[in-house]
Amino acid sequence: SQKIEQNSEALNIQEGKTATLTCNYTNYSPAYLQWYRQDPGRGPVFLLLIRENEKEKRKERLKVTFDTTLKQSLFHITASQPADSATYLCAPDTGGNMLTFGGGTRLMVKP
Amino acid sequence: DTAVSQTPKYLVTQMGNDKSIKCEQNLGHDTMYWYKQDSKKFLKIMFSYNNKELIINETVPNRFSPKSPDKAHLNLHINSLELGDSAVYFCASSQGGQGASGNTIYFGEGSWLTVV
């Protein structure tokens, strides 16, 4: 069955460092993969979308990579700030107009 | 203006009761959704409607009944509430179907349902 894995343990980093979050998927080949940010008590907010024919996508301090061979997407935040602290969800499309969300990784950026 | 708004934000009710959550989007999107986020934070799709027509129904008990009076509204009615229904319910919308066409999803702020 299709499976999406994100590190369920919180990632703690120091302000100014680069945060790297991982999303692994198995048993299918998504055409797209999206990343969302969710703050406590709020709904998820779209950040970036990357297509299967794109190796990398950037938006300001954010960078997403998509390795269809490894079946993995990496989400990077450079020069991290405490305001980046949130849970980040990856969502590969699973066909049939469906997105399936991973369980999310909580990022804590300490000043 | 809030793009996707849902009410109520908090709802505490007893087992066996019937309750509704309302949702409206002002983005002009064709597709609306209901998601459930459980205590482990997994976000799972329940229903998807496109132009008032049901297109996705993901193994949800019959006690859950979505209703879309028009493409800007998708309400969720839950009958005979059970303890396991306690969760956060998110309404969302997108232009066209999610996923395959790369459309992004806009979420509401969530409705916290607690069944006691």
Side-chain angles (χ1 to χ4, degrees), chain B residues 5-31:
Chain B
S5 59
Q6 53 185 110
T7 55
K9 187 170 178 69
Y10 300 102
L11 184 55
V12 180
T13 187
Q14 290 187 327
M15 276 195 303
N17 284 349
D18 302 339
K19 290 294 177 185
S20 293
I21 307 172
K22 294 185 176 181
C23 179
E24 176 182 5
Q25 55 97 1
N26 63 6
L27 296 168
H29 287 164
D30 292 329
T31 306

Side-chain angles (χ1 to χ4, degrees), chain A residues 4 31-32 34 36 38 40-46 49 51 89 93-104, chain B residues 9 33 35 37 40-43 45 55-56 58 90 97-110 112:
Chain A
I4 300 158
Y32 300 86
Q34 301 184 18
Y36 288 76
Q38 187 173 22
R42 310 293 296 273
V45 175
F46 170 76
L49 178 151
R51 295 177 172 81
L89 308 169
D93 93 276
T94 44
N97 291 324
M98 287 277 288
L99 276 180
T100 300
F101 285 83
Chain B
K9 187 170 178 69
Y33 314 86
Y35 282 83
Q37 190 168 42
K40 294 184 179 179
K41 305 300 182 186
F42 281 95
L43 192 62
I45 190 167
I55 57 173
I56 294 174
E58 285 291 300
F90 286 99
Q98 64 174 329
S101 56
N103 290 311
T104 59
I105 304 174
Y106 295 79
F107 286 87
E109 296 289 28
W112 269 251

Side-chain angles (χ1 to χ4, degrees), chain A residues 10-44:
Chain A
L11 176 64
N12 294 295
I13 66 167
Q14 205 65 36
E15 182 176 8
K17 300 292 186 184
T18 296
T20 299
L21 286 70
T22 304
C23 175
N24 295 301
Y25 56 91
T26 55
N27 296 329
Y28 73 114
S29 299
Y32 300 86
L33 190 145
Q34 301 184 18
W35 283 88
Y36 288 76
R37 168 182 172 145
Q38 187 173 22
D39 290 284
R42 310 293 296 273

Side-chain angles (χ1 to χ4, degrees), chain B residues 14-106:
Chain B
Q14 290 187 327
M15 276 195 303
N17 284 349
D18 302 339
K19 290 294 177 185
S20 293
I21 307 172
K22 294 185 176 181
C23 179
E24 176 182 5
Q25 55 97 1
N26 63 6
L27 296 168
H29 287 164
D30 292 329
T31 306
M32 295 187 71
Y33 314 86
W34 277 107
Y35 282 83
K36 179 181 180 180
Q37 190 168 42
D38 60 25
S39 57
K40 294 184 179 179
K41 305 300 182 186
F42 281 95
L43 192 62
K44 295 192 176 184
I45 190 167
M46 300 173 68
F47 301 103
S48 173
Y49 270 73
N50 183 274
N51 280 319
K52 303 192 298 177
E53 289 192 20
L54 179 67
I55 57 173
I56 294 174
N57 182 341
E58 285 291 300
T59 321
V60 177
N62 291 337
R63 300 181 295 103
F64 290 79
S65 54
K67 283 188 172 54
S68 182
D70 55 61
K71 76 172 193 177
H73 295 83
L74 180 62
N75 304 321
L76 183 65
H77 189 74
I78 315 171
N79 290 326
S80 304
L81 278 156
E82 300 177 357
L83 292 177
D85 297 332
S86 296
V88 185
Y89 293 85
F90 286 99
C91 179
S93 71
S94 67
Q95 185 57 48
Q98 64 174 329
S101 56
N103 290 311
T104 59
I105 304 174
Y106 295 79

